[in-house]
Amino acid sequence: MQITLNIEQIRADTPLPPLFRVRQCWQTTPVADVAATVWAELDRLGLAAHIRPGMQIAVTAGSRGITNIVQITAAAVGWLRNHGALPFIVPAMGSHGGATAEGQVALLASLGITEQTVGCPIRATMDVVELGRIADGTPVYMDRFAAEADGVLVINRIKTHTSFKAPIESGLAKMCAVGLGKRHGAEIVHRTAVYGLKEQIVPMARMIVERGRVLAGLAILEDARDQTAAIVALPPNDIGGAGEAELLLRSKEMMARLPFDRLDVLVVDRIGKNISGTGMDTNVIGRLPIPGEPPPDRPVINVIVVLDLTPETHGNANGIGLADITTARLAAKIDFHATYVNVLTAGLVGLCKGSLPITLPTERDAVAMAVKTCGQPDPAAVRLVRIPDTLHLEELLVSEALLSEVAANPDLELIGPAEWILDSER
């Protein structure tokens, strides 16, 4: 498919406001030794008592760009091997990777997870088995290789979800119900929009835990710097339960956010599935265009510009619909098949994040048009922030109109002037 964008004459010569580099001052204490912490946590849980020599143990691997995920996964695999098990990796990512086994293996490789780096085979399939039905009649599916294993170790990061709020959001339960459910599970959870996310993930996960021989969960928490802040092993009954809910509250306390309540323009250098399930985190940008779901209270942003896709997203531009303006360069990188499979699998929750925004020839045109149309007629007074992506918010580029707020905030440090670097200069 070839798409011709007749946009070369749509340009913007609005002046861009000067930029200043600002640092958010966070106090963080990352995990010092990731592998040792994984081993200690699995020992603490007493998991060795449930391991028999020769047991085939499926270890989940998702599609998110989680810091230290290769080391964490390899350490878990090493621990299992040390106790006589025969671990293998199963891609647990719903419909991601174009909803093909090959695509999911390639996605794992882009995150650094290969048979060589984690020390065990990868067994990928889109085949599932039905484990049963929850109280409302909804079927529960599980990856065939995982279901046939002697046990399953679920690994995932716990964080606030980008589409709903509940005691259990993104984490181990979602990895069970949606990740291990493959495309079938993902479609079922999303077919009733937010209802499925709020009401069905936990009972579906509980069935997978109980009938799918889930031995334990390994939960990862990240701090505002995107560092590994904690690794916690949970027993099966805490997956989708009190233990996971408590870790979600801890995660929310550490989450990175923009330090401004209102912006005229936000410029995001890149989006991608390795950054967030929705390309850019809705909790950071304050946008949640799902009918019936209230958006975050802050920030309120008039215009969002997205400049590019990450290489790791492999053309999946899910979340681009959260932006108002983008670039021809980004549009040319979109794999519409991968994007649409992901968006449509998510149903109504996905549709509102998958449409292509206004597309302009260059990055400078995109930013200048945002400044021109943001509702502030004086470019020098535009409240603008530029970020690399929604995961990395420690250093920001801000316009002069925000400097008074920077000076008044003890958690912000003004570093000095910065330059606009756009298009071929980047």
Side-chain angles (χ1 to χ4, degrees):
M1 177 178 62
Q2 184 174 0
I3 297 177
T4 301
L5 297 174
N6 184 24
I7 58 174
E8 288 304 317
Q9 303 305 314
I10 305 177
R11 316 304 290 257
D13 57 2
T14 304
L16 305 184
L19 293 180
F20 297 84
R21 192 174 301 278
V22 170
R23 178 183 292 119
Q24 299 204 66
C25 303
W26 295 320
Q27 299 298 319
T28 59
T29 308
V31 172
D33 190 327
V34 167
T37 302
V38 170
W39 279 54
E41 279 295 302
L42 294 175
D43 286 339
R44 178 189 61 79
L45 199 62
L47 187 58
H50 302 280
I51 304 295
R52 302 185 307 276
M55 283 183 70
Q56 298 275 338
I57 306 295
V59 179
T60 67
S63 60
R64 301 292 186 261
I66 301 172
T67 300
N68 292 320
I69 190 59
V70 176
Q71 296 93 319
I72 292 169
T73 305
V77 166
W79 187 93
L80 289 167
R81 283 192 179 280
N82 187 61
H83 288 79
L86 300 175
F88 63 94
I89 301 296
V90 289
M93 56 184 74
S95 67
H96 300 171
T100 68
E102 298 78 13
Q104 296 199 342
V105 171
L107 200 159
L108 289 183
S110 73
L111 300 174
I113 296 177
T114 66
E115 295 186 352
Q116 292 71 35
T117 60
V118 299
C120 71
I122 295 176
R123 299 178 187 171
T125 181
M126 296 305 294
D127 294 340
V128 293
V129 298
E130 183 177 331
L131 297 183
R133 293 174 180 260
I134 60 175
D136 66 5
T138 301
V140 177
Y141 295 101
M142 187 176 188
D143 175 285
R144 179 169 60 84
F145 288 136
E148 293 172 353
D150 298 310
V152 180
L153 175 62
V154 181
I155 301 177
N156 201 18
R157 175 179 59 197
I158 291 183
K159 64 184 290 290
T160 185
H161 198 275
T162 55
S163 297
F164 72 101
K165 296 291 172 281
I168 303 291
E169 296 179 22
S170 281
L172 300 174
K174 184 169 178 283
M175 177 66 89
C176 291
V178 179
L180 284 173
K182 312 300 281 196
R183 185 172 184 172
H184 289 74
E187 287 180 338
I188 284 172
V189 167
H190 289 99
R191 68 184 178 181
T192 53
V194 179
Y195 170 83
L197 295 168
K198 289 183 176 180
E199 306 296 337
Q200 294 178 326
I201 280 181
V202 169
M204 291 171 73
R206 293 305 309 158
M207 181 172 289
I208 287 175
V209 168
E210 293 162 6
R211 300 186 183 182
R213 294 183 290 277
V214 173
L215 301 175
L218 201 58
I220 304 161
L221 302 185
E222 292 182 344
D223 60 27
R225 288 194 171 94
D226 194 30
Q227 302 170 126
T228 306
I231 302 170
V232 182
L234 290 181
N237 63 314
D238 268 338
I239 297 175
E244 183 170 351
E246 180 182 346
L247 291 178
L248 176 61
L249 294 177
R250 286 178 57 186
S251 173
K252 289 184 176 184
E253 291 174 355
M254 294 184 286
M255 180 180 171
R257 301 182 185 276
L258 293 170
F260 307 105
D261 289 338
R262 183 182 63 80
L263 294 175
D264 296 313
V265 177
L266 176 67
V267 179
V268 183
D269 284 350
R270 56 184 179 258
I271 67 170
K273 295 295 291 185
N274 59 310
I275 302 297
S276 170
T278 51
M280 50 183 166
D281 194 326
T282 59
N283 299 287
V284 171
I285 63 174
R287 290 191 176 184
L288 189 62
I290 300 173
E293 282 299 300
D297 294 334
R298 58 174 294 268
V300 175
I301 303 173
N302 292 355
V303 181
I304 297 179
V305 184
V306 171
L307 302 181
D308 208 350
L309 296 179
T310 64
E312 295 86 353
T313 201
H314 294 278
N316 187 335
N318 185 14
I320 189 62
L322 295 167
D324 303 292
I325 300 175
T326 191
T327 67
R329 181 165 86 171
L330 184 151
K333 293 182 179 181
I334 296 176
D335 180 331
F336 283 91
H337 174 77
T339 301
Y340 287 172
V341 166
N342 191 190
V343 167
L344 296 174
T345 299
L348 180 62
V349 171
L351 282 176
C352 53
K353 303 184 188 79
S355 55
L356 194 63
I358 297 294
T359 304
L360 295 179
T362 69
E363 292 180 353
R364 196 200 181 285
D365 288 321
V367 175
M369 190 64 74
V371 172
K372 181 178 181 179
T373 60
C374 72
Q376 170 51 259
D378 179 5
V382 168
R383 299 167 56 87
L384 180 147
V385 170
R386 182 178 184 180
I387 61 175
D389 53 61
T390 56
L391 263 184
H392 302 97
L393 299 174
E394 185 171 11
E395 288 198 5
L396 317 168
L397 300 182
V398 310
S399 64
E400 191 169 9
L402 291 166
L403 290 185
S404 61
E405 290 187 36
V406 171
N409 189 336
D411 295 326
L412 297 179
E413 176 189 1
L414 177 61
I415 300 173
E419 298 293 328
W420 277 103
I421 300 176
L422 297 168
D423 300 309
S424 61
E425 299 172 308
R426 230 166 18 102

